[in-house]
Amino acid sequence: MRLLSYNIHKGIGGRDRRYQLERVIGVIEQENPDIICLHEVDRNVKRSRFNNQPKIFADYFNMQESLYQLNVKLKTGGYGNLILSRWNFLSQHQISLTNKWRKARGAQIVTIDSPEGAFQLVNFHLGLAEKERHWQINYLLTHRLFEEGNGYPTVIVGDTNDWRNTLAKGKFSEHEFQEVTQPPSKYRSFPAYMPVGTLDKAFVRGAITIKHARVAKSKLAREASDHLPLVIDFHLNSPDERS
């Protein structure tokens, strides 16, 4: 199974600042993922021609499930997170990760009924301050809606803004999550045209085998957004392997 996690920067190029959503679609198309987790997806905003980007993505990729979370509200519309899945959701939740007066943030929590079995997926976009991010992870991992899926293998992905790579050794470690995107030097994703920061990360817990993980670095990906996408190929372990 293939998962793609991508901060699309509203479809605006990281260097040329041009709005061309077709470039983002092309980058995703190149990777042919089964599950797409996006961040900074606009809906009804002037800078992106008042496009309904969640619908454009859902219509183009024509997957079984689509779930949009509007986090940041603007004068008209706003932006947030989007999950598209080739397979059905058994459950879906959206929670706020907004900390006091800081910018609105959120996490999507779904249970996916994949051909290899059910697993829990979290898609999020974390805050800019380190203390804020650690609060957000603790809030997420102890939230009753997240804990509903504790019996399932779990994948957590998104734009963490974790420049100093401190999250893995904090609450993630306490809750027995392993970081997929290690060592950081192999997974630099920001800024796209000359990446130095490992901001887009993935964490797993339970009966999951990571076959391959990488940052997509095509010419188109370097132009389409200010982030590069993270691509993860994985399997759920068979019942025999879990025992």
Side-chain angles (χ1 to χ4, degrees):
M1 298 184 285
R2 173 166 289 183
L3 182 151
L4 178 142
S5 175
Y6 192 12
N7 183 329
I8 69 165
H9 197 228
K10 303 99 178 174
I12 298 169
R15 295 193 83 180
D16 62 26
R17 309 297 295 174
R18 288 185 297 164
Y19 174 62
Q20 291 186 352
L21 196 62
E22 59 271 21
R23 294 191 294 195
V24 170
I25 290 173
V27 171
I28 299 170
E29 188 84 83
Q30 286 174 345
E31 302 301 334
N32 192 28
D34 300 301
I35 302 161
I36 302 169
C37 296
L38 304 181
H39 321 102
E40 296 194 12
V41 180
D42 264 358
R43 185 173 67 188
N44 193 33
V45 181
K46 181 179 179 181
R47 66 187 166 213
S48 48
R49 301 174 195 159
F50 298 100
N51 285 168
N52 185 342
Q53 291 183 350
K55 186 175 188 308
I56 290 171
F57 284 117
D59 289 348
Y60 184 88
F61 290 104
N62 193 30
M63 291 191 170
Q64 191 70 28
E65 295 277 11
S66 172
L67 181 64
Y68 182 60
Q69 180 183 41
L70 179 66
N71 292 321
V72 180
K73 295 177 182 177
L74 304 175
K75 196 171 194 180
T76 64
Y79 62 94
N81 304 323
L82 176 67
I83 300 178
L84 301 174
S85 172
R86 200 178 298 282
W87 305 298
N88 288 333
F89 295 156
L90 297 175
S91 67
Q92 59 185 57
H93 304 294
Q94 309 205 103
I95 64 172
S96 171
L97 296 180
T98 305
N99 183 222
K100 299 179 182 177
W101 48 268
R102 296 184 182 277
K103 180 186 282 191
R105 304 284 180 175
Q108 301 175 288
I109 306 169
V110 298
T111 305
I112 295 180
D113 187 19
S114 86
E116 298 184 8
F119 69 96
Q120 182 172 242
L121 170 69
V122 177
N123 179 41
F124 61 27
H125 186 183
L126 300 184
L128 297 177
E130 189 162 310
K131 241 184 202 181
E132 175 191 13
R133 292 190 292 272
H134 284 270
W135 176 88
Q136 288 170 329
I137 295 305
N138 182 62
Y139 184 79
L140 167 68
L141 298 182
T142 58
H143 197 287
R144 64 177 181 82
L145 295 176
F146 175 81
E147 290 179 339
E148 281 182 9
N150 276 352
Y152 295 108
T154 300
V155 181
I156 299 179
V157 296
D159 178 358
T160 65
N161 279 310
D162 183 23
W163 279 96
R164 299 202 311 125
N165 304 302
T166 64
L167 288 177
K169 293 178 181 177
K171 293 298 177 181
F172 277 120
S173 178
E174 288 180 30
H175 288 261
E176 300 182 328
F177 278 89
Q178 295 181 320
E179 184 175 356
V180 175
T181 41
Q182 284 278 12
S185 59
K186 281 183 60 180
Y187 296 96
R188 292 173 178 153
S189 59
F190 180 86
Y193 59 89
M194 192 180 292
V196 294
T198 307
L199 303 192
D200 301 276
K201 299 182 190 290
F203 304 85
V204 296
R205 183 177 69 184
I208 296 173
T209 297
I210 303 298
K211 290 296 184 181
H212 190 55
R214 61 186 169 82
V215 172
K217 299 177 181 177
S218 69
K219 182 176 184 294
L220 186 60
R222 292 180 184 275
E223 296 171 350
S225 170
D226 60 349
H227 284 246
L228 296 171
L230 175 65
V231 181
I232 301 168
D233 295 324
F234 69 101
H235 289 294
L236 301 188
N237 300 346
S238 67
D240 290 343
E241 292 174 304
R242 297 177 199 179
S243 58

